Amino acid sequence: MTTGNKLHTGVFKDEGNKYFQSGDTDKAIECYSKVIKTCKDNKVLAVIYRNRSACYLKKENYANAASDASKAIDVDAADIKALYRRCQALEKLGKLDMAFKDVQRCATIEPKNKTFLETLRRLGAEIQQKLKTTFSTDSRVQNMFDILLDDEMEKDKREKAANNLIVLSREDAGAERIFQNNGVPLLLNMIETGKPEMILAAVRTLSGMCTGHKARAMAIIHMVGVDKMCSIMAVDNEEIALATCNLFQCINDSLTGGDKREYGKEEALVLDAAKDLKTILLSLLEMVGSKKVSGNGRDQALNLLSKNVPRNNKKDKDNSKTLFTIDHGLKKILKVCGQVPELPDQLPLTENTQLIASVLLNKLYDDLSCDPERDNFRDICDEYIKSKIDPNDMDKTIHAVNTISGLLQGPFDVGNALVGRQGIMEMMVALCGSEREVDQMVAIEALIHSSSKMSRASFIITNGVSLLKDIYKKTTNEKIKIRSYRCAYSSGGDDYGLRQFAEGSTEKLAKQCRKWLCNPKIDTKTRKWAIEGLAYLTNDADVKDDFVEDETALKAMFELAKSTDKTIMYSVACTLVNCSNCYEKKEFLPELVQLAKFSKQHVPEQHPKDKKDFIDKRVKRLLKAGVISALAVMVKADSSILTNQTKEMLSRVFLALSMDAKDRGTIVAQGGGKALIPLALEGTEAGKTKASHALAKIAAISNPEIAFPGERVYEVVRPLISLLQTDKDGTENYEALKGLTNFAGFSDKLRVKIVKEKALPEIENYMFEDHEQIRQAATECMCNLVSCKEVQDRYLEDGNDKLKLMVLLCGEDDEKLQIAAAGALAMLTGAQKKLCLKMTLVTTQWLEILQRLCLHTNSSIQHRGLVIVYNMLNSDNSELAKKLMESELLEILSVIGKAEDNPKRQGAIDAARECLIKAMDLGLIKPFSSPP
């Protein structure tokens, strides 16, 4: 190695060591990696690998830690530090036997080292326990299968065995024991019984076994067979279809990156999953168009395609799965969209199937990256529609029209282009005049979906309104009546001059919709159109006010929202947004309003019933009618139906409902807290922010254990921290800080979670904020966090003003701010004695501020100041204690300590007496003499 290289290596090595000692492991790894690239000296390299191994251990990257330690051991087999680091890494990776061997070598080299001996003893005991568990697990697994496959066994014992098997499969060791003990053939035997509870238990166990383990997932695919799994998902049982869908998802995740294990050099040869993934994709596409598949099975096949085919990240340039799906399955998906359940010989469907298919079409089209790919998609759709239109076969023709409806609900541009083809709109209007009710219904629905474009609406107005009016007046079929009304109404848009059925007033139309909505004799799909009408009509303040007064109609809408037909959710969400006025509002500059008035232009005016007191009343009525339970059910809907736009609207409604602190208990009691968590984690940025804000409002005043039971409370932390970003508004910052303050005061685990999510820098920044309430909230939050060791370490670090700021905040005039800052300082100086001296060095004002605290008229502030004094006296620093007693603090302590007992100020009086006793113990003052 040249002198220059040695110097270069030495610099990076020293820098790496400094970074490691200061706790910046990322920078340390970076420096060590630079040395490894340039250094040729094996002995130096061994030291660097050993050091980098320590960094990886600290970052909990155990695979890399073990690898680097091994490289150091390859140079020096007796490198005791490298051996022990590899032992620690291997233990964390679950390789106890190998870890035991390493620590055994360490103990041989240094037989008196207590750490090595203790680790040797502990690992030996763990290995023995693991062997016992393995043998007992094997017998338990066999016993479970014996119980499950015994027809004469009692039902409750079989249920218990099934649940135990599922739980065991979710642990890696348990899943491996089931697999090794002939588990897969036995699970197939359970499936062959044909009993739903046995099939469910078997499928859920297989899901656990496939989760996060690529090799085992591939083995199970070949042992069970993709066709067999598809046949299970195809059965007419919603629970089984959903469980099998989850099994396919677990397999897909494991095969496409969910398994982080290191399989070594053989991985590329043995674990090439491409063929299996292709087989699964083709099988799912086959299920989509098969008559042998139930509606529930078809829904889950479409859901799997929707979740796994389009790219999750558009930066990934490979959209080959989408192109393959379009080539091999687009016509099958279009076939689903075109089904007309009222006709004979149709595919089995649920209420949601066709919407799920439309969502999938939209996702596939959106995933295309260039014009030729989009042209191919449109050409396949065009060819399919043309092949179905037959003047001599009305069933085929209305199949084509229904397919266009599906496209208009999915990739609208594709459907709109098809509607624009010569003769299509004319055909749809003509079908409205058919004698068959099914033709009328399909045609009117297609017109509804196409009429959102003004040009289409104008065509309907010109060519179809008289016909639609005629149908509306003459038909006795409520399904068609609602649709014909809805079509004509939507073709007018927001222009009252274009509305064809405004027979008297908007309120009259809304009343008719409410009547249809409350009629239980009308089927769900038809009542959906009544809600769609209300979604339009509730833009009018009089309509929304009348609607929330009608509790029967509200409850009917909420019951529909909870039904199995999830296609209704968007309309319900729109209606709720309108009723609670939580839509995005345009802000008009006062100057522009004045200018518009001056130039005699139309100026938008707020309706009296859109003012705050009316909105508040509507919100109370919605809560009383049970809106929260409906929202909670809607949030649980399948992700392919619950679009990001719908999620955003639901988030807006939740936020509007949680504005009044008195209502938040109702929201929590009806499951609103739990329902908000997924909305805050996924969706549009605006939707996530609104949901996080609603969570913050609830978190600020609720008991976390009740509002977010179990482990859910830890999921709330991240959304709250997201509101601390500088692009969020002040209200969001403030309420997030209040929520985090409540959490930080609740448990040590929550404090650790807040720190781990890197909230401290954001909270510290807001302690410098000019806005008094935000600064106070940030200081209160920090006060509740300082009992955490990691937070204390930040105050011990040199080179920052954290402690100085806390001391100066104690001197502010705002009493709430003083209470928080003094409380934090009292806890810090009590936990870390070094901080007692440090606080005297960060600012010359420390003594003056401390005296002010001790003289404060607010007993809470005074008590905190006296506790800080006691901590300083108890800091093992005689010079500091002497300085305190030579100041005016002695007189202050004497006056407070000699005061008569007073329940209102007893905490401060007792603290002053403790300070005086401590000063006497230190010999700084003499005991008080008794009065003569």
Side-chain angles (χ1 to χ4, degrees), residues 302 305-306 310 322 325-326 329-338 354-368 377 380-381 402-412 414:
L302 289 163
L305 292 168
S306 191
T322 295
T325 302
I326 289 167
L330 180 53
K331 288 184 178 178
K332 293 183 174 79
I333 303 165
L334 292 171
K335 180 182 177 182
V336 172
C337 289
Q354 287 173 302
L355 181 62
I356 297 171
S358 292
V359 171
L360 173 56
L361 288 171
N362 192 50
K363 285 189 173 184
L364 293 173
Y365 187 71
D366 192 46
D367 198 45
L368 300 175
F377 186 101
I380 293 171
C381 294
N402 222 26
T403 306
I404 293 172
S405 281
L407 285 163
L408 287 164
Q409 292 174 82
F412 184 85
V414 178

Side-chain angles (χ1 to χ4, degrees), residues 330-331 334-335 337-338 361 365 374-389 397 399-428 446-447 449-451 453 455-456 459:
L330 180 53
K331 288 184 178 178
L334 292 171
K335 180 182 177 182
C337 289
L361 288 171
Y365 187 71
R374 284 184 275 272
D375 289 342
N376 177 54
F377 186 101
R378 284 192 285 263
D379 289 345
I380 293 171
C381 294
D382 193 28
E383 183 191 325
Y384 184 83
I385 298 296
K386 281 179 182 174
S387 70
K388 296 297 176 185
I389 294 174
T397 301
H399 177 95
V401 173
N402 222 26
T403 306
I404 293 172
S405 281
L407 285 163
L408 287 164
Q409 292 174 82
F412 184 85
D413 291 345
V414 178
N416 194 43
L418 288 167
V419 172
R421 295 282 162 87
Q422 190 174 1
I424 296 289
M425 279 295 282
E426 289 84 351
M427 178 185 71
M428 284 155 62
L447 288 172
H449 295 305
S450 62
S451 63
K453 280 281 182 183
S455 58
R456 308 275 178 259
F459 180 92

Side-chain angles (χ1 to χ4, degrees), residues 557-583:
M557 182 174 79
F558 296 155
E559 285 307 309
L560 279 175
K562 296 177 191 176
S563 70
T564 52
D565 183 356
K566 299 302 177 189
T567 60
I568 213 162
M569 286 196 302
Y570 183 81
S571 302
V572 174
C574 281
T575 307
L576 291 173
V577 164
N578 289 338
C579 290
S580 55
N581 281 54
C582 55
Y583 38 73

Side-chain angles (χ1 to χ4, degrees), residues 32 155 167 252 258 302-303 411 486 522 629 688 775 787 843 852 888 907:
Y32 292 143
K155 187 183 176 184
V167 171
N252 182 80
L302 289 163
N303 281 334
R486 168 72 172 78
I522 300 175
S629 57
K688 288 191 288 186
R775 183 173 51 169
S787 59
T843 173
R852 280 180 62 193
E888 291 175 17

